[in-house]
Amino acid sequence: MKDILMRATNIGRLRYGGGDTPVPGACQPCGRRPTRGSGSTSLVRSTTRTALLALIVWSLALSGRPASADEPSAEFMRTMNTARATLGRWDFHEADRLSRQLLDLAAKDGAGQALAKAHQFRASYCFFAGDYACARDEMQTFGDLSGSKELGLLDRSKKLAEVWQNAGESRSDHFIVRYLPGKDSVLAAPALETLERAYLALTGDFDIEPGDPVLVEIYPSFDAFQAATNLSPEALENSGTIAVCKYRRLMINTPRNLSRGYSYRDTLCHEFVHFLVYQKYGDGVPIWLHEGLAKFEEYRWRQEGGSRLSPGMKSLLASAIRQNEFITFDQMHPSFAYLKTPRQGQLAFAEVSTVVEYFVKTGGWKLVFALCDELRHNSDYRSAIRKVTGKPFDRFWADWVAFARGLGFKEIKGMEITALEIKKGDQGEDDDDEQVEESDLAQGDEWKYARLGDLLRDRGHFREASFEYGRALEIAPYSLRILNKAGRCYYLDQDYELALTPLYRAVELYPGYSTTYINLGRALYEMGRKQEAAEMLGKALDINPFNPIPYGYLIKIYEGKKDDSRVKRLEDDYRIITG
Amino acid sequence: MRRVLSKKKVPVGFQDQVMIESYQAIESLIESVRRRRRRIRLARLALPLFIVIAAALSAAALLPSLQGAARMALRAALLCSMSLAAMAALVLAVVRRENLEAAALAIERANPWVNNALISAIQLVRAAAATGPAGAFSRALLDKHLESAAAMLPRLDLENSAPTQKLKVPAMVFSAVALAFLAMLSLRPERTRSGLAALLTEQWSMAADQAKTASLPLTTGDFTLHYTFPAYSGISAQTVAHTNGDIAALKGTAVTLETTALEPLSSASIITSTGARYAMSVAGGSALKAELVLSDPGTYYIEGVGAGGMRLAEPRSHHIVVDPDLDPLITMLTPVQDVEVAAEGSLPISYEAGDDFGLSEVALIYQQGGEDHKVIIRTEKESPRNRLQGDYEWLISEMGFKEGQRIPFYLQATDNDEVAGGKTGKSEMRVLEIFSARGQHRKLLARQDEFFNQMIDHLASHIGAALKDQPAADLAAGEKGLIEEGHKLLSSITDLQLALLDDEYADQLVLDTLLDMARRYSARLGEREKLLEDPARSAPDWAASVKSLRATYQGGLEKDILYFDKLIKKQRVEDLMAQADDLYQAQADLADLVAEYKKTGDPALLEKLRQTMSQLQEAFDNLMRRMAEMKKDLPEEFVNADAMKKASAMNVADQMEKLRKALADGDLDSAMAMAEQFLSQMGQWMAGMEEGASQFGQMMSGEDMQKLSEMSTQLDDLVKRQQEIEDGMRDIYQEALDRAQPKEPDGQAALGLDEKIQRMNDELLRAQSSLRRMTPSADGAKPTLNSINEKRNRAAIPYSYVRRGLSDLRGAMREADLNQALEQAEKIKEDLEQANRDATKFVQDENPGPKQARDEFEKASASSSRLMDEIQKDLENMDQAAAVRPDQSERGQLDELSRLQEAVRQDTQSVREGYDQLRQQVPSLPQDISGSLDQAALNMHDASGEMMLGDPARAQVPARDARMNLEQARKGLQQSMQQMAQSMMGSAARMGGGMPMGRGPGGRANDGEGGMLSGGKVQLPDEGAYQVPEQYREEILRAMKEDSPDAYKSLNHDYYERLVR
């Protein structure tokens, strides 16, 4: 049922920021322009600004009034403001110090309200630092002292403290990966490897070091992820957000939460780009540029750099260029998550990624950084662009369109906009492709042929089923599911050579779909092309390491190569995921 | 049987085969002698035992003659002797067992010349097997010895080794004793039987006998016995005089005994063998009288007190024989074996019962829940009868049995024995299985699966054939195979259709689809067969034609597979939803109870609440179990739907437990809150499940349904337009008709008509004349002359009336009043028919002569009838010719109407094409709608043509027919839409389920339009719409008229037969 699928696509759903800081505006990863172009956080940022303004006015008002016995002193309030700003800057050491100072000041003042606020801030600090038990205790103290019943942070802290009660942690030089012991432990090593490689590349690109190790949390459920990010369940469901950079940490969902996993390694790199951009430029960078940079650099952990758009995105962009129908930067505001369809989301990513590419190609990274610097002080991205490129925005836009056209992307009619599927219950990734459903049948004759193919295949008439799939592909040559059905059917018919054609096409068009890699890997394995098979099956595991099928093949392949260490690692992981 | 020395027993060194065989021969022979000797010995032990037993049994015949100690002593002696003899025989048989050596020695005793060769052979072989010094001798020596001993064997005298002589005397003695016993048994059977009974069964009591022995003998005689039988037996009282005092009667019979004693007595009593004492009245010192009621068999004697107080007793006892009241017998005549009956049906049972004295009751006993339940089906307490036969209709519907239950049952007859209480007899047990229509439906669903697989295999065969590039010869062979396969499929369709007719839950869409498939496949296979038999097979385009027909066939098959796939999914989901019926009910009950409790606070409701909770949990568990069983068969999208996933998350058992605990703890507020929350959750879940199920009820896409709806609207419009054309034409016709008034016949035609009237008049005269010439027949019934004349005249006279009518017709014609002429002609025709009928009857009844007159009459009457038809037709033609003469303006209007008619025709064809396209997607849509539309178009074409020719009269009929065809098509379409709408409305309702409306917090209101097209004019099915067999019958009847394969014809025939029945 397609309505249970998240609408955004794999990369399209990636999102940073959020809007739930206990001190409004204190921890937004990037963007500053409240009025336009600052992405998913801008909505909150405007609220943040208003709240900060109100806070200052309130503080000034307090300082001008004689303090009552229960009211915080002016010094306390000044320190509190500083502490909040510090926390917003992700300066956790200073925030820690200031939170203690606030507690001392409140104790010295003897003001009950001040003490409550000091504990509340301490709770915020603990929450930011990922110490949920501490946050929970501090919030309980705050609640007791203030009598406040609005304790959202307490509920979240309680939940997360429970989730991470027995968390496992793996560390590298610059990252700490936190996960739930058990199946998710297989993610730790690849995640750290990815992040260290990204670190090596991206800190150089952006010329900034994060300092203290960055905490990465792999969430075992959407429920816990929702508590951590404070995004509403509806927002998560509608936007398909699966990863967030917030509170100076990266939070991602385990691929286990999706039916067929997702490219979590690219996602980690993508989020780390957000991290660095925010750390370097604060919240001044608008959403389109933030996402453009993250998208442009998300494969950086595995290659030299540059955009690598999927064929689907290329097709969408080509179509948009032909029809001159783009998603404008303003439409991208306040968040990609608010774009109406996965198609719009993917097109937006394609646009911003190529915009960054355009900047890099025309002015180098220097131009990009200059723009980011300019945007820290100039909330109008149009004038900022004019200033750093010397071109009015319209001219810049026209040049970018010409640049994008020059990239030679081909429009592929019939390309599917794929979406990630949230796993329900104990459903696992099937080595089979999806069944043709009633809703599919209404889409067109290709699905009728596909259904006939399924019926024939399920009864062992593989050649005949292939014939029907062939008819389906004549109508819908770019259908991911039909390509996989055709490939798998040839595989079942032991005609491995024929299986390769549709499967390679599926990989080329839809590189984020793990099932294709498995089908391809199995066919290649049967053909004796074990090196290629290992490559494909490895890619499947990069997307969904919880599918046991690739392990068996890979173990056999590496046993053949006498690569004992890899065999052992695979066997260990296999035991973990099937345990 | 030859005993073989097993290899294991072969001693060391016995590898030599000769040695083994020699020893085996020796041992085998000795063993055979030993067995024989053993048998003889056993016989010698058994014969004395039998002698003792036979003697003892013979001696037992003396027992009735003895009393007291002597009797007991003899009994003891006899029993002891038999026991001792048996024990001795047993002991001897066990103790005195002979071994192999003893047998060898016995042989050697009878054959001294053997010189211990046999015993030596055995002992040497045994020694050879032993270790130590005993076995230290030459194997060669042993070999030689065995060989020589074996050589002696054939010469041995075995008869004397085991002589049977010793059995002779015991056998003779036994024979004599046995003969004596048998003779006694046949000569004095009563005595012998009594003696045997006394020997084996009598109690070891001497009280009565001791008493007797202590008395003087009493002499009695001339016993008179008055028997008063138990009332229930219905036997009249009887008196038996001059007996010896032995009593024999039915248990419970009161016996008055009268006798006379020789010795004078002051008092007397009857003493029975059981020790009971009955006082006797003594009259005159010798007349004794007493009454006793028979209960147990045995004996009695009379004792009394004589003169001087001396006790006297009869030395010999009298017998008391008590006849038993036998158990009644009952036989279940029907059913003759285990039966299956629908839960709402009944089971006819017939039986036959009998008893020696009378039956009081017949009951049906059935077992349910481990307990017997009794249903009295007949009582005869007032007037019991010995024999009963009857029928009983067991209303299963009133028993509350559930489908699938197996109920063992039998009949029980009770007799009227008031003494020992009613005894019962039972019939054989049968098992009643409650027919499960649902179970049957599931079986047929499985059959549909099989059929579906067959369809797919058939498709695979076609694709496989298409994938091969075959030369013409192979193509023909392949085509033949495919056609044969197609016929098998057709046959399966037939079988499935027939099977589905017995399925209470059969989906009409499935039946319609199968019907349609049968028609199409039959036709298409026929085409293919025809092409296969085409003599011009070598023609280059033959292969192309074959492939083309195949492709068409395959295309249809593919569509059918997709549609059937959907149908099967739909039925699976419906089947599951039907399982939810109990859950709906329990949920609604719980909701009601919660609401009632909240309103009244009545604590008595709490127990009901608990019960309903258990029912709900059970219903839920059953549903889950069924879902688990069906998981593979259900559509994947249904199984993976959110609602289905939430089932386990609900954890009903856990919630119910909490609810129970809250009720037990008396925390009623919490319990009610929990119940409401649970019901709400359950309601949401069920609503979700229903929603998921509803999509499988949609056998047409919304788009297709919309098309159907649009077609219906178009047909409405077409009917309206056709009606307008018809009305317009009628107006023109009427105007032309009015203008033609009064009608004047065409002159030339009138002349022709007049001539025909004249000829007809002549024929009538000829008929009358021939009738009047008729006389009684020679071989007739000899009626009187007067009577025949009377009948003849009566037959002839009506022709005069007809002739008079003709005269009137001429007059009307002369007056040029065509209308009157037409009316007159109508009247004449009626009169003529009547006259011919009467006259013909006269001729047939009377068979008058002469033949010539009869022949002439027949010719004349036939001719007059023919002429009358012609006259009437001519008049009608003249009428039409006179009436329809449209003027210029009307011609113009007719042209316009003709154009309109043509436009309606084209639109009709367009609707038909659209419908045919839709039918390709939805085979269950009826084909006859296309036929009606086709026929309408043809009629419109005719009407249009007539209008173009300016003949509104002739155009009227086809125009009207066209409208009727359109209306028929519209009606068919609306019925189809109702049927489709019914399937879209959600299967649960049809399957007897459905969410209760507005029942408590978990309920979901159903507005009855779920899944319907918004704004579509789909009507809800009316009551008659569910009586599907009507339409189906019509289909089949129509199909019978068409050319169809044999198998299909038989289907039709069979179904028609059922309908007729």
Side-chain angles (χ1 to χ4, degrees), chain B residues 623-699:
Chain B
L623 182 64
M624 290 300 107
R625 200 176 306 118
R626 181 81 187 134
M627 274 167 64
E629 285 168 9
M630 290 178 69
K631 194 173 178 184
K632 277 182 76 180
D633 298 324
L634 288 170
E636 190 178 322
E637 52 268 50
F638 182 71
V639 175
N640 287 330
D642 275 353
M644 302 294 278
K645 295 276 177 196
K646 282 176 187 162
S648 53
M650 276 206 306
N651 201 348
V652 170
D654 193 38
Q655 294 200 56
M656 285 289 126
E657 193 50 46
K658 283 180 185 164
L659 197 51
R660 278 192 199 98
K661 193 168 181 309
L663 284 172
D665 294 346
D667 187 359
L668 298 178
D669 289 342
S670 298
M672 288 304 112
M674 272 195 269
E676 286 195 341
Q677 191 187 347
F678 169 73
L679 285 169
S680 167
Q681 204 180 348
M682 174 70 85
Q684 282 172 20
W685 175 72
M686 287 159 82
M689 197 167 74
E690 273 207 335
E691 193 182 333
S694 69
Q695 70 167 301
F696 295 98
Q698 297 174 11
M699 292 310 298

Side-chain angles (χ1 to χ4, degrees), chain A residues 1 4 424 426-427 435-438 448-449 451-452 455-456 459 461 463-464 467-468 471, chain B residues 452-453 456-457 460 463-464 467 554 558 561-562 565-566 569 636-637 642 645 695-696 921:
Chain A
M1 307 244 322
I4 62 169
K424 302 275 180 183
D426 57 354
Q427 168 199 357
Q435 291 289 315
V436 178
E437 298 177 358
E438 293 303 309
K448 290 175 182 164
Y449 293 129
R451 177 66 186 146
L452 287 168
L455 291 168
L456 287 160
R459 286 155 182 82
H461 301 298
R463 276 181 63 77
E464 292 77 8
F467 171 78
E468 294 288 4
R471 292 167 80 186
Chain B
F452 187 56
N453 287 340
I456 293 168
D457 291 344
I463 295 173
L467 291 174
Q554 185 182 323
E558 285 176 342
I561 285 173
L562 288 170
D565 181 31
K566 219 169 172 180
K569 282 181 183 170
E636 190 178 322
E637 52 268 50
D642 275 353
K645 295 276 177 196
Q695 70 167 301
F696 295 98
Q921 310 301 325

Side-chain angles (χ1 to χ4, degrees), chain B residues 10-28:
Chain B
V10 175
V12 179
F14 259 59
Q15 287 78 11
D16 185 348
Q17 187 61 28
V18 177
M19 281 174 77
I20 293 169
E21 287 178 358
S22 301
Y23 181 73
Q24 281 176 339
I26 293 165
E27 191 193 44
S28 173

Side-chain angles (χ1 to χ4, degrees), chain B residues 586-607:
Chain B
Q587 191 222 19
D589 290 348
L590 188 61
D592 287 347
L593 279 172
V594 169
E596 198 179 338
Y597 181 79
K598 284 179 74 181
K599 193 175 163 188
T600 62
D602 180 3
L605 291 173
L606 293 177
E607 183 52 34

